[in-house]
Amino acid sequence: MAADYNPYCKYTRVWIPDPSEVWKAAEIIRDFKEGEPELLLRLEDDTTLAYPVGPKGKPLPFLRNPDILVGENDLTALSYLHEPAVLHNLRVRFLEPNHIYTYCGIVLVAINPYDQLHIYGEEVIRAYSGQNMGDMDPHIFAVAEEAYKQMGRDERNQSIIVSGESGAGKTVSAKYAMRFFATVGGSANDTNVEEKVLASSPIMEAIGNAKTTRNDNSSRFGKYIQIGFSRPFLIIGANMRTYLLEKSRVVFQAEDERNYHVFYQLCASSSLPEFRELGLTSAEDFTFTSLGENIFIEGVNDAEDFKKTREALTMLGIKESSQSSIFKVVASILHLGNIEICTERDGESCHVSRDDLHLQHFSRLLGVELQQMEHWLCHRKLVTSSETYLKKMSKKQAENARNALAKHIYARMFDWIVEHINKVLQSSSKQHSFIGVLDIYGFETFEVNSFEQFCINYANEKLQQQFNSHVFKLEQEEYMKELIPWTLIDFCDNQPCIDLIEARLGILDLLDEECKVPKGTDQNWAQKLHQKHSSSAHFQKPRMSNTSFIINHFADKVEYECEGFLEKNRDTVYEEQINILKASQFQLVADLFNEKEDVAPPKSSRVNVRPAKPTPRPANKEHRKTVGHQFRSSLSMLMETLNATTPHYVRCIKPNDFKEAFSFDSKRAVQQLRACGVLETIRISAAGYPSRWTYPDFFSRYRVLLKKSDMTLADKKLVCKNLLETLIKEPDMFQFGKTKIFFRAGQVAYLEKLRADRFRSACIRIQKTVRGWLQRVRFLKVRKTAITLQRYGRGFMARRHADFLRQTRAALVCQKQLRMVRDRRAFLRVRRAAVTIQAFTRGTFTRRIFKEFLLHHKAMIIQRCVRGWLQRRKFQRSRAAAITLQCAFRCVRAKRRVQQLKVEARSAQHLKKLNSGMENKIVQLQRKMDDKSKEQRSQNEQLLQVNSSLGGELKLLQRKLQEASSLQQGGGGRLASLHDELQRLREELQEAHALRGELQEAHANEKQGLTQRVEELQKENSLVKSEKEEMNQKILKLTRSSAEEGSRASLQEELDEERLRYQNLLKEVSRLEQKYENLKEEQSFSKFAPGHRRNASTLSSQESDSNYTSISTSELGDTEDTLQHVEDVGVEAAALDLSVFLKLQRRVRDLETERGRLQQQLERGGRAQGLYIYTIFTAYIYMYYYYYSPSVLYMNICVPLQSSEAPPLSEQDAADLTYTSLKLQDVEVENLKLRKDLLSLQKAVAERAGLSDPTNELQESHALLMSQLRSANEELEARKEEVLILRTQIISSAHNEQSPAHQKEQSPAPLKEQSPAPLKEQSPAPLKEQSSDGAIVSEQGSTPPEKKEYVCAGECESKRLLEAQTRRHGDELTALHTQIELLKADIEKKQELLNFTSSLSPEDRVEYSVQQEITRLTNDNLDLKELLEKLEKNERKLKKQLRIYMKKVQELEVSQAERTRPPLSRQVTVQRKEKDFEGMLELHQDDETLLQKKLIAEISPGSVSSSVPCLPAYILFMCLRHADYINDDQKVESLLTQSINSIKRVLKKNTDDFEMTSFWLANTSRLLHCLKQYSGDQAFMTQNSVKQNEHCLKNFDLAEYRQVLSDLSIQIYQQLIRVAEASIQPMIVSAMLESESIPSLAGVKPMGYRNRSSSMDLEGGGFTLQALIRQLSLFSCVMSDHGLDPEVRGQVVRQLFHCINAVTLNNLLLRKDVCSWSNGMQLRYNTSQLEEWLRANSLFQSKASVCLEPIIQAAQLLQVKKKTTQDAEAICSLCSALSTQQIVKILNLYTPLNEFEERVTVSFIRSIQNRPQQRPDAGQLLVDTKFSFPVLFPYAPSALSLETLLIPASLGLDFLSRV
């Protein structure tokens, strides 16, 4: 330090003591010289003070730190370390930016805000997870993360010690620390241990916390929770230890305090039905809960808290019965306190009334005997060595015994609950390490301090000793690590005070000794203390009291009152009362008081010898231990545990005693800072080198003090040494370590002063230069302005003279033109009048002439028409006569020709001509017979067997034909009646046609009248509408643009929300699948464990790798296709399509359900049901032929039923068939009735339509119905004509085929072999060979059996053909009935509508009718669209069926050609013609596994990098096309399912490989696009080429698998995002906030505890912005190389930019050191670089830049001016993407790096907060880093033709064949 440096000079700020505020700020107004008696100061209120200093006065005041250091995160970073600096820093942080956490070295100071702060959410936990302590703002999560990281790195157990006085927030801090471990650590299995650990908090608060005068939720016990972790550092269990429960609170509370919360919670819920048996009322009615005179806590609902307590008990596995028992015990304690003890007359005894209601409740709730409890509440037993005495107790003694019993019961219940919680939280797995959280009471001092305060302060003495030694050890280790010479630092050791308490013959020993004395008293014990320890420096005797003593603790002196020490230390409970409770009939109550050491003695066969006098039972061992002894033992165990772990300290401070939010009482804060050891930490740090700088930070901060020659040195360490040796002359003021420079207190302030002076001189020089430059610029500007004014003035004068000359010339020109125009107008007026008179005269003469010509022309037209008519009539007469003569002559010639042909037909020459070819045929047949005879000789035995069997069958067929012929003869009469019925139906049809004509005429008349009425109404409506439209037009112009934008934005938001919800479900599905796979692996690992094993049959259901083996069409929809369709056609058009789509889905679902039900019925019914269905089916055929062709009824039903094709009939079946025939007759009668009803209903509908329909809807519906009926009748007539044609053809074929040769060659065997099979494959044309009456008619009147069988087979085929027509016409008839019913309902609705409209006014009626018409047209449009889709679907289905049938016909032709091909005598080579490649790959069934292995499992992205992108997707689709081409549905399903499962396995194996994930995302999406592009749907074929349309799938609709692939693509996309975010997340903070993208811009402040974390990775370097951009470029290149769609790549980049924004902004909001102007400049530059990268990679349209808006605005917020109201308005309008809470947080964190910058004032921040703003997420501070945008895979067809695709040989897919 410079020799002339005087710290107490003018303008230096100091701290002086103050009785009210502890420390007060002042400023020196005159330089102080050594030896002066006083220091002249100016206070903050501008008053002057002479502060005495010197040997006789006060010491020099403490110096204040520079403003730049005020508000530091770490107190040790302050240049001057002393009490006022610490207090002021905490006060500023607490009141201005509302920061409640501050570091003090390794200690976290937490100030209770008495308000709810949103800084404990899950996003905050994620932000602190993985960060080094000191990198972020101080927080309890930072301490927890430090402990978690050290546990993993050092393999050492950790402890977090939370201490502080009551009301300081210890319990809340411990709770948040455990929440952090539960969130970060999770659980190793599904036991949810972390949730159970958190669930234990409300239980322990209910039974261990109470309201005190200082805290509404004060913990009245200490607890140490050990959270166990496994080897992977996941939570596996926990354990809780408790210390010193304040049992006296159960029976006594001070004023304005309460008992434990559970009592009040139970009383508040006593009205519930399950608690009525407890006999509880309000808490005011019970003694133990009303002593504090206030049973309520403001803002606390005891009933709601009790619900949470019960839920926590249930979560921890405590049964309802056990909970009920616990509540009974709690209620019994309340009743016990209300038991009234009455004094006897003698005053030395008492009694309890047996009628006492509370005693009865107490006995009933605990299950004990009433008489015994009543007796032992007032008596006690004295046991001596020889006798046992029963002694009565006075009322005072009885009340003390009662209160002791109540405390003992509650303590036992408390221990039982803690023990049960530990059992639930313990784990069977081996614990690798643990983190302990100690929530223990802080130092306490009250007006009256008793035994509890003594134990609490004793525990704090031990903890303070451990804390001092640990801080001292860390300080010395830091010096040793940096190789700095050091000397032992003297620190306050409180071991003498601890020895005073716990050493031999200390306070506790003397207390235990006095408790053993039979008549020991508190006074005697106090006298012994005064005698024994009066010489100790830490023990004092009060002046005014002999029953108290004072201990000088490390924090303060505390006076303890001896009264009650012995009683509380003994904790005496009478054994008789305990024995009664042990005998309780409730097991839980008995277990509470049974000792664990008590073991029932084993039964023995010996005889028990009972002594004559009972021996006294020894007292319980636990009862012999005093409370002080137990507490000392447990405290020793706790200290051993803490010493074996690495401790972390949290010191909680209570800012005021009034529980006011953000109110700071300096006196109370200083007391606690002294008591909790924070100031001791400061003192230890100040004794050494408290300020520490790394060499790079020091060089960056103070390089302005260097000379230019020193800047040339490359070694920064050497530069720093040279600079310090120059600036600070005293070498002891600093030390150089290995990585840091250590400074004494005050040296950093001196360096800051030098730096500020250097900046101040530089600023003065800059200001001088700038001001001179400004003046010169101003002079030049004034001179230039003068010259310009002169030039413009002269120019103005010249222009004004020129204007005068120009105006004079213009006046002359205007006069000339005016005169000319006036004369010309007069001339033109006269000329126009003359022309008009001439025109009218000439027109009159011309019109007269035209009329004469017109009359002549009309006369000529009449003459021409008359003459033409006369000539035509003459011609027609002549033509009619000629035709009559021609007809007569031609008839004569035709008769002659017929006679001539008859003569020629009887001649022999004609017969020879007919039989000329028969001889050749006979010779050929003879040759064939010879060949057959040779073959028959070799197979004679086989033919004999076949002939014998066929002969039997032939006889059977002949017998059946005879029976059929007999039945045929009896059906003649029936045929005639059917013909009559048919004739009658025709007549009725004609009558219906006539009636229809009449209806049409009436309908036309009514329509004409209604049309006129509508025209009149429309005229009236047009007038009203014109006015209405004028008003609406103005409104529409204003609202159209805003409405369209709003609707579009709302629809887009709804669509995004739906996508996001759907993709979250997919994410949950993938998580469950992963969980299932993990469970499956665990099951495979435990296959050798004993238990049930699955066999092969049951295991098959578990080994499937796919969840999509069975997909229901009715339940799945192509969501992505639908969304794409919405985007293509628009929202309004797609709304109609979606509605039709939903209708079709619902219809398909109903049809599939009905089909499944019928199939199940058929399977259950068996053969009998099948026969019944067969019979009913034949009955429907009978009905069909009854209408269409009664003549073939017999051959189509009776003959097939009797033939061998029908099922064999038993007697029962025959009886059923007979019954069915009788039922058919009833059906015929019913059919006639239905036809009559149909005609009558048609008439009624027509009449109703003509009378009551106000519109044309009903007439149109009626016309539609009639047209359908007419088409059905026309179809009926057409079928009848076809039947007639069949009759004639069958007769002619019978005549032609009947010949002797044919009868000889025909044999039964060929008929049997050939008749069934060929007929099934014939076309419908040969089926017309049927007779009109069902038999073959010959000239001889008989029919051979072979022909009958042939005709029978033909009839069967005809029957099958007509069955389909029967069903179709039956459906049409049902549809007609349905339409009639609908018309009836429609008529009723129309009638109601007509009545309603008639009651309206004309204007309303017109408007209502228009609305109805619009609704009707909309519904009709929907119906037409639905009908169109059905027709298109049927068309596609029929086309597919036609292709299948054509393929089968081709295969049949090929097979027949191969069978008829003659054998070749020599080898012939058939050369195949080369075919074009159709873009298909043939895959054999056995090679599917090999394909999955080669193409999916073993492929690497690099192996196909040089080929077509997405090659595996194209290969899979080409294999799929071939499976579709051959119509193999199993192969299609197997190929897709195995491919999907293989992709999932590959992705599971490469969960962290971005390249592999991107590769399969591109291929999966491309396969999805291929399934859409080649699906055959018109929506996806618009961009296809002609060849691509030919390659569409033919037989299968794979819309369901498109949905599966879409879901898989979303899952792969989510995995890709996870991998990419995991790669860039470690880079973001370093690249965006810490790296210096603009060199020499950022300034460095003292970091304090930052970069001092023991868990830091010092070897790892930081990432730069260029490294982050390179990583993003790598991701983009990989996705582009793999052929990923540009839209999807844009969505990936958008998600990554959201991650960059969220992580950067969260760190900015949690780090004070980066909230400065220079960091804002750096951040803005970094974001601009990212935007440039987006533009360079053509990704700017992906909306990724929008994600950077929050951090861009945050950077601008750090740079803008922040002073006036206008600045606040500008900030609010500028930072639209930031919430108000985020803006306020950044303003609070804003830290100037130099003295020339100013802090943001509190008033400015309040103005921002109070400004009304509408911002999203107003209550959210941090950005959700886990948020994901909904992904959309837009349809992107490929221009690649499949036939041009080449497969590289390196893939090894030789087993695939090109087709």
Side-chain angles (χ1 to χ4, degrees), residues 1579-1643:
F1580 301 121
M1581 296 172 61
T1582 55
Q1583 303 181 25
N1584 287 2
S1585 63
V1586 178
K1587 194 67 175 179
Q1588 287 176 335
N1589 288 335
E1590 294 177 359
H1591 291 170
C1592 290
L1593 300 178
K1594 308 298 182 183
N1595 300 317
F1596 299 107
D1597 184 9
L1598 301 178
E1600 303 159 5
Y1601 277 100
R1602 292 207 301 266
Q1603 179 62 38
V1604 175
L1605 285 173
S1606 177
D1607 296 345
L1608 179 60
S1609 300
I1610 293 174
Q1611 295 175 5
I1612 301 175
Y1613 172 84
Q1614 293 170 351
Q1615 179 174 335
L1616 183 74
I1617 294 299
R1618 287 196 300 270
V1619 174
E1621 287 181 349
S1623 300
I1624 68 171
Q1625 201 155 6
M1627 305 180 180
I1628 295 173
V1629 177
S1630 179
M1632 298 295 293
L1633 294 176
E1634 297 176 355
S1635 64
E1636 291 190 10
S1637 304
I1638 306 177
S1640 303
L1641 178 63

Side-chain angles (χ1 to χ4, degrees), residues 856-870:
H856 288 292
H857 181 68
K858 291 180 179 179
M860 292 172 63
I861 291 174
I862 293 172
Q863 293 174 1
R864 183 181 64 197
C865 292
V866 171
R867 291 168 183 167
W869 175 75
L870 292 175

Side-chain angles (χ1 to χ4, degrees), residues 1427-1442:
L1427 179 62
L1428 179 62
E1429 290 184 359
K1430 287 183 179 179
L1431 293 176
E1432 290 177 351
K1433 184 177 180 180
N1434 291 335
E1435 181 184 0
R1436 291 195 297 269
K1437 183 178 179 181
L1438 292 175
K1439 285 182 180 180
K1440 291 181 180 180
Q1441 291 179 355
L1442 181 60

